[in-house]
Amino acid sequence: MMKKNVFALILALAMVLSLAACGGSSKSYKIGICQLAPHPALDAATEGFTDAVNALLPGQVEIDSQNAAGDTPTCATIINGFVSGGVDLIMANATAPLQAAASATADIPVLGTSITEYGVALGIDSFSGVVGSNVSGTSDLAPLDQQAQMIQEWYPDAKTVGLIFCSAEPNSQYQVDNVQSYLEGMGYACTQFPFSDTNDMASVVQSAADASDVLYVPTDNTAANNAGIIDNICRGVKPVFAGEEGICGGCGVATLSISYYDIGYKTGEMAADILTGKAKVSEMAIEYAPQFVKKYNPAICEALGLTAPEGYEAIAAE
């Protein structure tokens, strides 16, 4: 009888230890998301990221998602709150949050998304594709040579192109410099029209429209958040080509765009690998969108009397 009781006790203890071990394997994680501003591209990236981490780490993730409403200093405030709160990972959606996170912590893994060029954003000369610190992520860069070719496809006889961008966004400067180089190689005369913020945006866009046959806007967060300003000046008057679908949907003729949801989802997959120890952020290369799609804005094209060339998909009206 004694032997049976001892055996039962050992069996019960083994079951308790087994259950404890199973429960201990389901670790929970805190993730802080800082998004620069509310607009369709960044919203889609945040949605993709959230869907990925919840799918890969079901019931294990507590997400604190905050939006800086387009204000760069607010990004630093949000990020500092994440650091002091001891989050396990920071997702920085756009350049300003990435720069704030890289400055705020060297220990907490930081994943960026909707970043055009990490070398430019982080001041890394001769960037190799791996940051090598606590930072990695995904890029929203669509091939800039193909964006220039898109303008040539629609307007082969145009002479002048005005490049509109926010001077406070280093990745915008990077894009327009490269697109300008490609366009000038095709014979276009290009002029850059930087605006500092929304206060001088309308006057700069008007100057660009007056001086140019065609306008180009890169994946610029300030422009994306204020596409209506560009549209009010240019609709039916001057064609605007955009670096991404969100801007094109608001004011553009056409774009060579990526899926921001997809790059956000990829960033979430990277986060799951880091949190579960499958990968080290310092060794992770920057990931890029797997495909690029030519799209056009039917309403803008109708206002300008344009017919889209073959191979372009219509942007769905909201």
Side-chain angles (χ1 to χ4, degrees):
M1 188 69 169
M2 180 67 71
K3 289 182 179 180
K4 287 184 178 181
N5 288 339
V6 171
F7 178 76
L9 181 63
I10 293 172
L11 182 61
L13 181 60
M15 290 178 67
V16 169
L17 291 174
S18 177
L19 289 170
C22 290
S25 65
S26 184
K27 185 178 178 181
S28 60
Y29 306 97
K30 293 170 62 178
I31 297 176
I33 298 175
C34 180
Q35 180 175 319
L36 175 60
H39 66 72
L42 300 187
D43 292 346
T46 293
E47 181 183 2
F49 177 86
T50 303
D51 286 352
V53 294
N54 283 331
L56 296 169
L57 301 169
Q60 296 176 252
V61 181
E62 177 187 339
I63 296 176
D64 182 0
S65 184
Q66 299 190 38
N67 197 303
D71 185 60
T72 297
T74 300
C75 294
T77 302
I78 293 171
I79 295 294
N80 288 335
F82 291 157
V83 173
S84 62
V87 298
D88 297 298
L89 184 140
I90 295 171
M91 195 279 262
N93 192 351
T95 300
L98 179 76
Q99 292 171 330
S103 297
T105 179
D107 302 314
I108 299 171
V110 174
L111 290 177
T113 193
S114 313
I115 313 295
T116 303
E117 221 289 328
Y118 282 75
V120 173
L122 299 175
I124 303 172
D125 294 330
S126 302
F127 181 58
S128 65
V130 178
V131 176
S133 63
N134 63 318
V135 177
S136 188
T138 56
S139 169
D140 63 358
L141 181 64
L144 297 172
D145 58 337
Q146 294 182 37
Q147 293 186 46
Q149 290 166 10
M150 180 178 61
I151 294 174
Q152 185 182 49
E153 183 178 16
W154 285 75
Y155 283 91
D157 298 325
K159 304 298 182 184
T160 57
V161 179
L163 304 133
I164 306 168
F165 66 102
C166 181
S167 58
E169 298 189 33
N171 273 312
S172 296
Q173 182 73 66
Y174 170 83
Q175 290 174 80
V176 297
D177 286 346
N178 280 274
V179 169
Q180 177 173 342
S181 177
Y182 290 123
L183 288 170
E184 288 177 345
M186 298 172 183
Y188 293 96
C190 297
T191 303
Q192 295 187 10
F193 292 89
F195 56 87
S196 58
D197 53 34
T198 54
N199 293 320
D200 65 338
M201 184 176 177
S203 62
V204 170
V205 172
Q206 186 65 64
S207 296
D210 292 341
S212 314
D213 298 326
V214 179
L215 301 176
Y216 171 78
V217 183
T219 57
D220 182 288
N221 290 299
T222 307
N225 213 26
N226 297 277
I229 293 175
I230 302 173
D231 189 46
N232 288 339
I233 294 168
C234 298
R235 182 178 288 245
V237 179
K238 287 291 168 70
V240 178
F241 289 82
E244 59 93 8
E245 183 176 344
I247 297 174
C248 190
C251 65
V253 168
T255 184
L256 179 68
S257 193
I258 66 167
S259 166
Y260 277 80
Y261 179 88
D262 287 350
I263 63 168
Y265 199 95
K266 180 61 183 179
T267 312
E269 292 177 333
M270 296 169 75
D273 285 346
I274 292 167
L275 293 171
T276 57
K278 293 180 181 178
K280 294 181 179 179
V281 64
S282 61
E283 298 174 356
M284 299 179 91
I286 302 303
E287 297 278 356
Y288 293 83
Q291 61 183 357
F292 311 96
V293 181
K294 290 181 175 180
K295 294 195 172 185
Y296 75 99
N297 185 327
I300 299 290
C301 287
E302 181 179 357
L304 289 165
L306 297 172
T307 300
E310 288 187 12
Y312 281 79
E313 297 181 8
I315 295 174
E318 295 186 357

